[in-house]
Amino acid sequence: DMFNAELKNLVPGIWTKDGIGYPCLKPLNSWFEDMILRFAFFRDWIEGGIPIAYWISSFYFPQGFLTSVLQGYSRKNLIPVDQLSFEFVMQDTADPQALQGAPEEGIYIHGLFMDGAAWSFDDMAIDDQEFGTMFVTTPIINFIPWQDKKANPDKYRCPIYKTSVRAGTLSTTGHSTNFVLAIEVETLMDPSYWTLKGAAMLTMLND
């Protein structure tokens, strides 16, 4: 099976069976390049210190990483972690190299892609895609731990998925193997407009 998969430029099933490998729809050559980039991100983190912005796509289990951010804030501020969630602030760039430093509170996240929508830097709100464009890079997002956050009905709750399949199963941790979380984004239209369009964010593309 491994030999046949490599002949067809597919990721061998034995590498991903039973959750051994991370969910990915890329062909084998792109999967390998992506894996090397993930290793490079963590190597730079170890050798160079805490990054200014975190490449969310590099994590095998991004939900666990985000939970650890809330736990760190909980211990620092003596707030029960079950009272915490995230507030989301879009930045005016998608390039982590353009950042001057880490945020005053929370973390910067980069590496997401918008599917079924785009982002207007003029309006700082979710927008329609240009004709013929399937995916666009999401701006860097400041994830800020927030106590007793209330949902804002005027914002669109945009789901984040690991892959474009947008389906998964519940793991032993109680988390989905594909769905990460939903983030609130500014919109000039009714949020239901984006729900009907299936607007979402992805941690990786298929190519």
Side-chain angles (χ1 to χ4, degrees), residues 137-155:
T137 303
T138 302
I140 291 171
I141 309 172
N142 186 187
F143 280 55
I144 306 173
W146 207 268
Q147 185 177 12
D148 296 329
K149 176 179 168 59
K150 301 294 189 295
N152 187 339
D154 296 326
K155 292 185 177 182

Side-chain angles (χ1 to χ4, degrees), residues 29-41:
N29 61 330
S30 297
W31 178 90
F32 182 77
E33 294 174 359
D34 178 72
M35 181 186 65
I36 296 301
L37 289 174
R38 291 175 185 235
F39 274 105
F41 172 77

Side-chain angles (χ1 to χ4, degrees), residues 8-38:
K8 299 175 183 177
N9 197 26
L10 301 175
V11 178
I14 194 173
W15 294 1
T16 58
K17 185 179 179 182
D18 298 325
I20 294 175
Y22 53 87
C24 185
L25 302 178
K26 294 178 180 291
L28 181 59
N29 61 330
S30 297
W31 178 90
F32 182 77
E33 294 174 359
D34 178 72
M35 181 186 65
I36 296 301
L37 289 174
R38 291 175 185 235

Side-chain angles (χ1 to χ4, degrees), residues 2-206:
M2 181 182 293
F3 178 72
N4 289 330
E6 291 176 348
L7 285 178
K8 299 175 183 177
N9 197 26
L10 301 175
V11 178
I14 194 173
W15 294 1
T16 58
K17 185 179 179 182
D18 298 325
I20 294 175
Y22 53 87
C24 185
L25 302 178
K26 294 178 180 291
L28 181 59
N29 61 330
S30 297
W31 178 90
F32 182 77
E33 294 174 359
D34 178 72
M35 181 186 65
I36 296 301
L37 289 174
R38 291 175 185 235
F39 274 105
F41 172 77
F42 287 106
R43 183 187 62 235
D44 292 344
W45 186 346
I46 293 170
E47 297 177 354
I50 297 175
I52 293 175
Y54 295 87
W55 181 32
I56 192 67
S57 311
S58 67
F59 292 92
Y60 175 91
F61 185 48
Q63 299 98 316
F65 169 68
L66 294 174
T67 299
S68 73
V69 174
L70 294 178
Q71 289 172 335
Y73 184 88
S74 169
R75 296 188 185 101
K76 178 181 177 182
N77 296 277
L78 303 179
I79 300 173
V81 70
D82 59 357
Q83 295 180 11
L84 296 174
S85 55
F86 285 109
E87 179 71 20
F88 310 97
V89 179
M90 296 292 193
Q91 305 302 297
D92 59 2
T93 180
D95 181 9
Q97 301 297 325
L99 298 172
Q100 300 299 313
E104 294 183 3
E105 200 66 76
I107 57 171
Y108 285 136
I109 290 296
H110 71 95
L112 296 172
F113 301 91
M114 301 193 77
D115 181 15
W119 185 259
S120 169
F121 284 101
D122 293 329
D123 298 321
M124 290 303 288
I126 190 172
D127 197 5
D128 285 311
Q129 298 165 292
E130 292 185 4
F131 182 77
T133 301
M134 290 190 64
F135 306 103
V136 297
T137 303
T138 302
I140 291 171
I141 309 172
N142 186 187
F143 280 55
I144 306 173
W146 207 268
Q147 185 177 12
D148 296 329
K149 176 179 168 59
K150 301 294 189 295
N152 187 339
D154 296 326
K155 292 185 177 182
Y156 172 59
R157 286 179 54 82
C158 185
I160 299 177
Y161 297 97
K162 294 179 183 178
T163 71
S164 61
V165 169
R166 302 196 186 193
T169 58
L170 286 180
S171 65
T172 54
T173 63
H175 293 85
S176 169
T177 56
N178 197 13
F179 174 75
V180 179
L181 82 165
I183 70 172
E184 291 183 340
V185 297
E186 296 286 350
T187 174
L188 301 181
M189 304 180 186
D190 191 276
S192 62
Y193 174 80
W194 303 110
T195 301
L196 292 173
K197 292 197 68 172
M201 295 182 186
L202 309 175
T203 65
M204 70 181 82
L205 304 181
N206 298 350

